[in-house]
Amino acid sequence: MLAPTLDTAIEFLKGVGPKRAELLQKELGIFTCEQLLNYFPFRYIDRTRFYKINELDPDLPYVQILGRITSKEVIGEKQKKRLVARLTDETGSIELVWFQSLKWVDEHLMKGKVYIVFGKPAVFNGSFSISHADLESYPRPATITGNLRLQPVYNSTEKLKKFFLDSKGIQKLVTLVIEQQIREVKETLPLYILQKYHMLSRREALLNIHFPKDVQALKEAEKRLKFEELFFIQLQLLHNKQLRELRFKGHSFDTVGEKVNVFYKELLPFKLTNAQKRVIKEIRTDTQRGIQMNRLVQGDVGSGKTVVALMSMLLACDNGFQACMMAPTEILARQHYSSILSLLKDRLVKVAILTGSTTRKQRTLLHKELEAGEIDLLIGTHALIEDKVVFKNLGMVVIDEQHRFGVEQRARLWRKNTIPPHILVMTATPIPRTLAMTLYGDLDVSVIDELPAGRKPIETRHLYEGQRLRMFGFMKQEIAKGRQVYVVYPLIKESEKLDLLHLEAGIEQMSYQFPLPEYQISIVHGKMRNADKEYEMQRFIKGVSQIMVATTVIEVGVNVPNASVMVIENAERFGLSQLHQLRGRVGRGAEQSFCILMSGNKLSADGKLRLETMVKTNNGFEISEIDLQLRGPGDITGTQQSGVLELKLADLAKDQLILQEARNTVIDILSEDPMLDDPKSSLLRTYLSKRSRGIAFDKIS
Ligand code: ADP
Ligand code: MG
């Protein structure tokens, strides 16, 4: 048979065969030799360092110990069955434990022999033990990988391990591919870029990511591969942006007319902040270029994004177009609708709302009016995207709280007009720079980095369960001053029943503390009917009730300026951005506002850091960066966007510099050679044409 190439199915690599090939496909998505070569270790063990048993410490990561097996036995029954061995060196001994693959371990582990053992030491019943340690016979055989200084560790799965494809097994296969096929690996980055940034060739990088010569070589390999990964994402994003701008004409908003002017001069109840003015100007400039605008507005909670959205929509109306604004929840859509109605005082434009609970009769009428161009502004939820919703002439789309909508949903709105409308995306809270560059790298970004004047920063306190009475006392004091209070409980799917019980217990306790008729409590949670929710919300908004007990349904956008206290129960269970978002519900009026974070007495290190961060700062940009460090990008944006963020090697929390470098490089290349037709860009063109089938841009046209 011919020697395998990089494209060869993994099945034909020596020692794989159909069964293991099937598992590699199912478990790791590896179909070809090349894909195996691109399956990178997730960490490395320093094989030059052997620990003595008396040096062990539970804080150590994986360690390597040289010792003799002095005893070995299988104990326990059925589920609890395990193999326990004792490893001894001249300084002491530790226990090695296996709960799985007992038979295999029993056959391969010989009492009296010396082994090199890898594993993470843990303290169990007061002494050290390592479970599921990796074993190697001693001395090491003299193969290519036998004298590696840094041992690669590959992720495997239980199923793969049953077929001997544990980390070691995978390493063996990778070794084969490298021995036979590394010379086929082709360069993907133009030479001048490699030279400019002193980066390894792709071949050297792949070799060193699997079997690094030393730590320095590993770092260089990682840098090269991370750069490549981020570079191509940026190339695709920015190239798409460029194509979109070339291909899609946009409505040119030539005039600032009566509607914007009257609103600004007669209706606007406050002075715009400088940041708001700047962003409105950016939008104004963008919309008169004759190119479709795709702009992201980032601003902290309360920075006044709504009025920026409204003025942009009025600008569209001034130029003879309709506009719409889409929000992720019904409550939020209604909130926008009523704040926009009250800002407009029934003048200038006709506004309508469309949500899931709009009746069929209303809907039919609304569809007609919309198509006839009788409605100027439409506000609503996902219902706006439905194909039945047809505009006469849609010129501007505002999407609030963007991270809840997918890229595809964005695109569906574009298609509502032959010339696509301008798109303004507004995020609920600031997102870290690296995330913005990756998720929204094809958008222009505006930042509202200033809160309206006269806002007093919210004071945040963290109280433990034992201080609950103090919290109730504080609530009473503020209610006596005429303020209103939110009390928010976590409610997540996984523990929904228990969470609802906590909520109910909390309400019961509160009804003792805050008896009728002096105090009224509104209750809103996701399990209620919409009509009931709405009724309870209205009681709170109108000031009939002083306390609003809720689950996170109130998280987004609710605006009750008289509410000045936010109590968050089990605050340690919320993520940072969610806490910040919740806190943003208060501090909207002229009064000093407060946020009280209630937590149990025991906190994890992360939980503690989250609460401390909240107490320390009100700045959403700062909070988002810490959130990214703590949770990683996937969790921050939610699952909808995760496809965009499936990075193999680069880490948006840590690799900011590489990302910036990659993005700048792409910007430079595209500004010098926009169509990439210079011969030195040929690799980049090849990459893009290989990719262009799958990308969202093509689906849109
Ligand atoms: P967010 O950016 O969180 O969506 P909103 O648009 O809801 O913020 O604005 C929060 C509150 O601040 C609203 O009550 C709004 O009327 C008010 N507001 C917005 N801009 C200003 C301003 N320039 N001066 C004073 N109040 C403002
Ligand atoms: Mg808002």
Side-chain angles (χ1 to χ4, degrees):
M1 202 183 74
L2 288 174
T5 67
L6 280 174
D7 294 332
T8 304
I10 194 77
E11 179 179 349
F12 302 111
L13 188 66
K14 196 176 144 221
V16 178
K19 180 67 208 172
R20 292 167 108 199
E22 191 191 321
L23 277 173
L24 282 167
Q25 287 167 18
K26 276 203 188 127
E27 301 283 296
L28 304 178
I30 295 174
F31 289 81
T32 64
C33 291
E34 179 159 26
Q35 284 170 335
L36 181 66
L37 192 58
N38 282 295
Y39 188 67
F40 301 149
F42 74 102
R43 59 183 177 80
Y44 304 82
I45 295 163
D46 182 355
R47 306 222 306 180
T48 57
R49 170 81 160 96
F50 288 97
Y51 281 83
K52 295 289 174 215
I53 285 169
N54 69 357
E55 289 178 304
L56 295 185
D57 176 326
D59 290 334
L60 281 174
Y62 283 70
V63 295
Q64 181 175 242
I65 307 166
L66 189 64
R68 191 178 300 278
I69 296 295
T70 45
S71 74
K72 178 181 89 167
E73 60 177 331
V74 175
I75 56 176
E77 286 295 317
K78 287 186 183 156
Q79 255 69 347
K80 299 222 168 127
K81 201 159 153 182
R82 60 198 187 275
L83 188 148
V84 179
R86 186 150 285 279
L87 182 80
T88 308
D89 72 4
E90 66 276 18
T91 68
S93 74
I94 61 166
E95 214 167 61
L96 307 178
V97 191
W98 282 267
F99 302 94
Q100 267 142 9
S101 320
L102 303 193
K103 192 156 165 268
W104 189 87
V105 179
D106 203 14
E107 279 165 18
H108 289 77
L109 190 70
M110 304 294 162
K111 197 175 148 186
K113 263 189 75 173
V114 174
Y115 290 89
I116 299 167
V117 172
F118 294 108
K120 165 115 186 74
V123 178
F124 190 71
N125 284 343
S127 60
F128 279 104
S129 80
I130 295 180
S131 49
H132 289 252
D134 257 348
L135 295 171
E136 234 183 280
S137 53
Y138 181 83
R140 285 180 168 132
T143 59
I144 333 181
T145 51
N147 47 24
L148 272 181
R149 301 162 69 87
L150 290 168
Q151 164 98 36
V153 184
Y154 298 90
N155 264 322
S156 179
T157 65
E158 285 312 319
K159 279 191 187 143
L160 284 168
K161 282 178 191 162
K162 285 210 181 93
F163 288 81
F164 307 114
L165 288 175
D166 55 359
S167 174
K168 282 283 170 54
I170 294 171
Q171 182 188 320
K172 270 191 202 137
L173 298 183
V174 173
T175 309
L176 269 180
V177 173
I178 287 188
E179 280 173 351
Q180 298 173 359
Q181 298 153 33
I182 189 84
R183 270 184 288 140
E184 286 174 50
V185 170
K186 292 204 182 66
E187 187 48 69
T188 47
L189 290 171
L191 186 63
Y192 72 97
I193 294 178
L194 293 185
Q195 284 168 346
K196 180 170 171 196
Y197 291 103
H198 309 288
M199 285 189 295
L200 297 183
S201 70
R202 184 167 168 77
R203 200 176 293 162
E204 280 173 285
L206 286 175
L207 186 62
N208 279 290
I209 197 83
H210 290 287
F211 305 126
K213 272 202 309 278
D214 49 38
V215 174
Q216 183 57 27
L218 174 60
K219 279 197 183 138
E220 283 178 27
E222 280 176 348
K223 156 92 202 263
R224 146 78 211 216
L225 294 166
K226 285 175 176 180
F227 182 94
E228 171 177 329
E229 186 170 35
L230 297 168
F231 175 87
F232 283 112
I233 292 173
Q234 292 300 319
L235 181 68
Q236 194 137 46
L237 285 167
L238 292 168
H239 182 70
N240 279 354
K241 175 170 189 275
Q242 202 173 45
L243 283 184
R244 193 177 60 213
E245 293 182 352
L246 282 174
R247 239 159 110 176
F248 291 130
K249 292 283 157 278
H251 305 292
S252 190
F253 292 175
D254 300 318
T255 44
V256 175
E258 186 216 339
K259 296 187 201 323
V260 171
N261 282 323
V262 170
F263 177 77
Y264 188 69
K265 291 189 190 123
E266 297 175 25
L267 296 175
L268 190 64
F270 39 70
K271 259 183 70 188
L272 293 178
T273 63
N274 286 330
Q276 284 170 322
K277 282 187 201 159
R278 189 185 64 236
V279 173
I280 290 170
K281 207 162 168 190
E282 283 166 350
I283 293 165
R284 164 87 186 109
T285 312
D286 249 14
T287 49
Q288 51 188 341
R289 290 189 305 158
I291 292 171
Q292 186 208 14
M293 172 179 77
N294 272 278
R295 185 167 282 279
L296 174 74
V297 175
Q298 285 211 62
D300 216 335
V301 225
S303 62
K305 294 184 287 288
T306 314
V307 74
V308 171
L310 177 58
M311 289 185 69
S312 312
M313 294 194 286
L314 290 176
L315 179 66
C317 298
D318 265 341
N319 287 276
F321 292 96
Q322 293 165 299
C324 71
M325 181 167 185
M326 185 163 76
T329 65
E330 169 128 18
I331 289 183
L332 189 55
R334 291 192 177 283
Q335 189 89 46
H336 279 317
Y337 180 64
S338 65
S339 25
I340 283 175
L341 284 186
S342 80
L343 279 166
L344 287 170
K345 305 221 168 45
D346 250 347
R347 293 176 54 186
L348 302 173
V349 289
K350 177 159 182 195
V351 190
I353 179 163
L354 174 64
T355 69
S357 55
T358 307
T359 64
R360 184 176 302 181
K361 213 170 129 199
Q362 291 167 322
R363 212 173 269 246
T364 315
L365 180 64
L366 194 141
H367 286 167
K368 247 204 248 139
E369 291 180 329
L370 206 57
E371 226 176 319
E374 287 156 22
I375 291 171
D376 302 297
L377 299 188
L378 181 63
I379 295 167
T381 54
H382 289 72
L384 295 191
I385 306 180
E386 285 168 20
D387 291 332
K388 276 173 292 181
V389 180
V390 180
F391 292 82
K392 177 167 181 241
N393 201 356
L394 182 62
M396 168 77 71
V397 172
V398 179
I399 306 177
D400 196 15
E401 327 282 346
Q402 157 72 13
H403 62 280
R404 298 185 179 224
F405 294 105
V407 175
E408 177 55 18
Q409 284 169 313
R410 241 202 275 166
R412 284 182 71 175
L413 275 166
W414 291 19
R415 278 170 262 163
K416 294 254 172 208
N417 202 340
T418 35
I419 292 184
H422 296 299
I423 308 264
L424 193 65
V425 169
M426 306 204 289
T427 59
T429 42
I431 50 177
R433 261 171 53 76
T434 52
L435 265 187
M437 275 194 267
T438 311
L439 277 178
Y440 308 114
D442 57 340
L443 308 184
D444 293 305
V445 178
S446 291
V447 178
I448 309 185
D449 49 6
E450 184 186 350
L451 293 183
R455 290 272 169 81
K456 298 191 184 81
I458 301 163
E459 266 182 46
T460 302
R461 301 273 162 75
H462 169 207
L463 297 181
Y464 290 98
E465 191 49 45
Q467 297 164 295
R468 180 166 289 278
L469 286 179
R470 257 180 72 190
M471 186 270 285
F472 284 139
F474 183 73
M475 277 174 68
K476 281 181 189 153
Q477 182 190 313
E478 290 299 299
I479 290 169
K481 289 188 202 156
R483 309 285 130 71
Q484 288 166 286
V485 181
Y486 292 107
V487 181
V488 176
Y489 281 83
L491 188 141
I492 54 169
K493 268 223 173 66
E494 294 77 52
S495 53
E496 194 174 84
K497 281 207 178 116
L498 196 64
D499 286 346
L500 278 171
L501 284 179
H502 284 153
L503 176 83
E504 277 159 20
I507 291 168
E508 186 161 333
Q509 191 182 14
M510 233 175 296
S511 57
Y512 286 115
Q513 290 288 333
F514 300 97
L516 288 164
E518 194 186 345
Y519 300 97
Q520 300 266 340
I521 303 179
S522 282
I523 300 168
V524 175
H525 59 76
K527 295 271 124 179
M528 289 164 65
R529 292 189 315 150
N530 279 342
D532 295 339
K533 260 192 253 179
E534 184 59 24
Y535 173 78
E536 293 284 305
M537 290 287 301
Q538 285 305 328
R539 274 180 4 111
F540 190 67
I541 291 168
K542 294 194 183 111
V544 179
S545 56
Q546 299 83 34
I547 302 172
M548 155 78 76
V549 180
T551 55
T552 40
V553 280
I554 65 146
E555 178 191 340
V556 275
V558 174
N559 190 13
V560 180
N562 189 50
S564 65
V565 181
M566 167 64 66
V567 177
I568 304 176
E569 295 284 352
N570 289 118
E572 73 275 22
R573 286 180 50 197
F574 290 95
L576 257 181
S577 69
Q578 219 178 0
L579 288 171
H580 181 60
Q581 185 76 27
L582 284 169
R583 177 167 62 184
R585 297 307 110 210
V586 297
R588 302 190 150 226
E591 307 306 332
Q592 174 63 55
S593 290
F594 302 90
C595 174
I596 302 178
L597 307 167
M598 297 300 299
S599 84
N601 294 328
K602 267 203 183 145
L603 288 176
S604 69
D606 272 13
K608 198 151 176 241
L609 181 58
R610 283 199 298 270
L611 300 186
E612 279 169 4
T613 303
M614 287 296 294
V615 171
K616 203 175 63 193
T617 179
N618 270 303
N619 181 329
F621 285 95
E622 212 176 296
I623 287 172
S624 77
E625 295 291 344
I626 296 172
D627 200 22
L628 177 63
Q629 303 295 336
L630 282 177
R631 290 197 299 166
D635 284 328
I636 289 194
T637 49
T639 48
Q640 279 161 331
Q641 301 276 10
S642 64
V644 192
L645 289 169
E646 271 167 23
L647 298 177
K648 271 166 81 97
L649 208 57
D651 176 344
L652 294 180
K654 295 189 190 122
D655 298 321
Q656 301 183 10
L657 283 178
I658 303 181
L659 173 58
Q660 191 65 62
E661 233 167 53
R663 185 168 170 94
N664 290 345
T665 309
V666 172
I667 290 172
D668 288 348
I669 292 173
L670 289 176
S671 70
E672 216 176 279
D673 181 16
M675 299 321 287
L676 299 176
D677 38 29
D678 192 307
K680 69 178 187 180
S681 304
S682 70
L683 281 175
L684 308 182
R685 220 172 37 241
T686 314
Y687 173 87
L688 286 175
S689 61
K690 256 199 239 161
R691 281 303 179 98
S692 64
R693 260 161 279 128
I695 64 176
F697 175 73
D698 283 62
K699 283 193 235 147
I700 292 154
S701 48

